[in-house]
Amino acid sequence: MADLKALADAIIKGDQNTAVEITKTALDEGTPAESVLNDGLISGMDVIGDRFKKNEVYIPEVLIAARAMKMSMEILEPELAKAGVKPRGKLMIGTVQGDLHDIGKNLVAMMLKGAGFEVIDVGVDVGPEKFVEQAKATGVDVVGMSALLTTTMPSMEKTVKALKDAGLSAKIMIGGAPVTQGYADKIGADGYSPDAASAVDLAKTLVA
Ligand code: B1M
């Protein structure tokens, strides 16, 4: 019987070979894909997120864990689809217009995937029109924006306005080093988070 606790431990350690092996064994043995996801992968990523928030692990450890999770997800995804398992929510994320920084955005996207969200990554240098067009086309529950430059923060405000003017009901969350809760309040975003682990908590609240 595949040990899902060992799968969670493999994710925490970033041991992708073991993670993939246990994922395959669990599915071969008939363990429901949803249990493999919740009790193995998400459970491991939850621990990493919590340790990251407490500064007990740093970005490299999170990236390694996320890579192991990604490898296991590639095996699990078709089974989840077959079983009709719905993601926790659908979220779009991009770095705003004029801004090419994507390391933090990618980390947030990986943590969200690890928490069971379907994530549509629209890349960097994304203008308000593209955010609106993509949000309409994909019907996401949440639109996430990242900015690392003080000079590109105003693009967040323009995007919030464009999304609201387009009548979209998706919640909006923002983040990035120069961004604050005060700024989120000022531009009418629904939430701000300072790091990738808190972004997961926020996204869960926004789709609840
Ligand atoms: Co640039 N850069 N950079 N840079 N860069 C900074 C941001 C800067 C602070 C450096 C400095 O001067 N000390 C400064 C900005 C100053 C300011 O405006 N306040 C700066 C500058 C000025 C520039 C250029 C203008 C430099 C130039 O060309 N003259 C230029 C701009 C290019 C452009 O975007 N148009 C530029 C270019 C670059 C590189 C291309 C060389 C490279 C980016 C590579 C890449 O991303 N692919 C780069 C880098 C690497 C940095 C630093 C060194 C590191 C940024 C980073 O990746 N941090 C940075 C200085 C620094 O921070 N020490 C700097 C790690 C990352 C994990 O953290 O992105 O904050 P962060 O993400 C965190 C949180 O913020 C949060 O969660 C993440 C994980 O915990 N978060 C969210 C992020 N997005 C979120 C979204 C959410 C929720 C949370 O919800 C949706």
Side-chain angles (χ1 to χ4, degrees):
M1 183 78 183
D3 181 355
L4 297 184
K5 165 84 174 57
L7 175 56
D9 286 343
I11 297 294
I12 295 165
K13 288 185 198 134
D15 178 351
Q16 54 176 300
N17 292 337
T18 305
V20 165
E21 197 185 303
I22 302 177
T23 303
K24 281 184 183 158
T25 310
L27 292 174
D28 288 348
E29 287 174 355
T31 310
E34 196 168 5
S35 305
V36 180
L37 177 68
N38 291 329
D39 304 331
L41 305 188
I42 293 183
S43 169
M45 284 308 284
D46 277 351
V47 173
I48 279 288
D50 195 44
R51 291 186 184 168
F52 181 61
K53 257 191 271 181
K54 293 179 184 153
N55 290 324
E56 291 171 5
V57 297
Y58 298 97
I59 291 165
E61 286 95 328
V62 178
L63 289 174
I64 292 165
R67 195 180 55 193
M69 186 220 46
K70 189 169 171 244
M71 301 299 288
S72 290
M73 272 309 278
E74 279 172 16
I75 298 157
L76 201 57
E77 256 164 5
E79 301 304 319
L80 288 167
K82 266 190 235 162
V85 176
K86 296 257 179 300
R88 195 189 277 269
K90 206 170 174 184
L91 188 143
M92 188 173 96
I93 190 164
T95 302
V96 296
Q97 195 158 49
D99 203 321
L100 303 174
H101 295 86
D102 67 356
I103 298 168
K105 169 194 62 77
N106 294 345
L107 196 54
V108 172
M110 282 191 269
M111 293 291 283
L112 286 163
K113 282 185 194 163
F117 283 88
E118 179 182 344
V119 179
I120 297 155
D121 187 340
V122 286
V124 297
D125 191 15
V126 182
E129 303 77 19
K130 184 166 175 193
F131 271 109
V132 170
E133 177 199 306
Q134 291 289 315
K136 270 189 189 163
T138 55
V140 285
D141 307 301
V142 182
V143 174
M145 284 181 265
S146 180
L148 261 287
L149 299 170
T150 43
T151 49
T152 56
M153 284 167 64
S155 185
M156 288 182 153
E157 185 168 12
K158 285 187 195 137
T159 307
V160 170
K161 186 174 180 311
L163 288 164
K164 292 191 173 168
D165 287 351
L168 289 162
S169 59
K171 301 279 184 192
I172 302 166
M173 61 186 274
I174 63 172
V179 180
T180 60
Q181 181 62 54
Y183 186 67
D185 296 340
K186 179 175 168 273
I187 67 172
D190 298 291
Y192 152 79
S193 59
D195 57 55
S198 326
V200 170
D201 296 338
L202 174 61
K204 284 181 188 169
T205 317
L206 293 177
V207 299

